[in-house]
Amino acid sequence: MVDLYPPTGPYDSGMLDTGDGNRVYYEQLGNPEGKPALYVHGGPGAGAPRRPARGWDPGRYRVVRFDQRNCGRSTPHASDPAADMSLNTTQHLVDDMERLREHLGIERWLLDGASWGSTLILAYAQQHPERVSEIVIQAVTTTRRAEIDWLYRGAGRFNPEAWDRFRDGVPEHERDGDLLAAYARLMENPDRAVRERAAADWLAWEDAVVSDEPNGLPGMYSDREVDERIAFVRICAHYFSHGAWLEEDQLLRNAHRLAGIPAVLVHGRHDMGSPVQTAWELAKEWPDARLHIFEDSGHIGGEAMRETVRAAIEEFKHR
């Protein structure tokens, strides 16, 4: 977000007990009486930002941020091999969001997020459309298997050296099979050294995908503490090897459930990880969504892309 306002830290934080042994960290920033908004982070497993908010009007917004299951400050952490990943699916996360809304006494909220966060936003909004006032999405994804296959196989056409290294990170007898399932198995290995190596190989590929985009940043994904790297990759491999437990085209097919929810979608033309086709297809199925495509941006975005997100959030604060 563009820095518009003075840094705003949390006025409240807590741990939401999900009832199955998981505890989800959340925090609130801004005005307790303001318009509710939920920031939904990407990854999956990236965790919510820990820096103060500066893109939300602290006088008008009540901003909620949370760490999805097993990442960030939520417990148990996915870097712990004892964490039960069977309790972490898209439906679990949707239920956590709804449980958090009820816990905080919020009637409806604006949803904002990017990349994997957009998939989770769409899944939640399609199940609970009456609880969503507006939506702002950057780097649109629906986590179809076709999108997953592009990111972890198809994009290798543009960087074959890096993709070969990614493929060679799994045992030789699994290299011609399901690479994501193979990585998921590596991330369950009781040997921490095995998990660390697999996480490094996975993140090197993620870094390579975005490095050649406009505004690409070296080390975009791997520049995090070791436990965070392990958790991130363990969660990603778990989700993507299962197609996020979504039917193919489910979120596009059910876009009619979003009718009446105003939305702004922003996407970079040169997004190598999430090609713009998905954003285009979603916008065609969702008349209430305005799609902005930026010629100077990829998955990371750029100044014009961030300015459009900022303008949408400024616009929606008056509704």
Side-chain angles (χ1 to χ4, degrees), residues 247-263:
E247 297 176 10
E248 193 72 353
D249 295 320
Q250 175 181 328
L251 298 181
L252 291 174
R253 189 172 62 251
N254 292 335
H256 63 90
R257 298 180 182 176
L258 306 172
I261 301 175

Side-chain angles (χ1 to χ4, degrees), residues 194-217:
V194 172
R195 300 197 305 277
E196 286 189 14
R197 178 63 186 177
D201 289 337
W202 177 290
L203 293 171
W205 170 243
E206 297 266 14
D207 286 345
V209 171
V210 300
S211 63
D212 292 331
E213 291 182 349
N215 310 308
L217 298 173

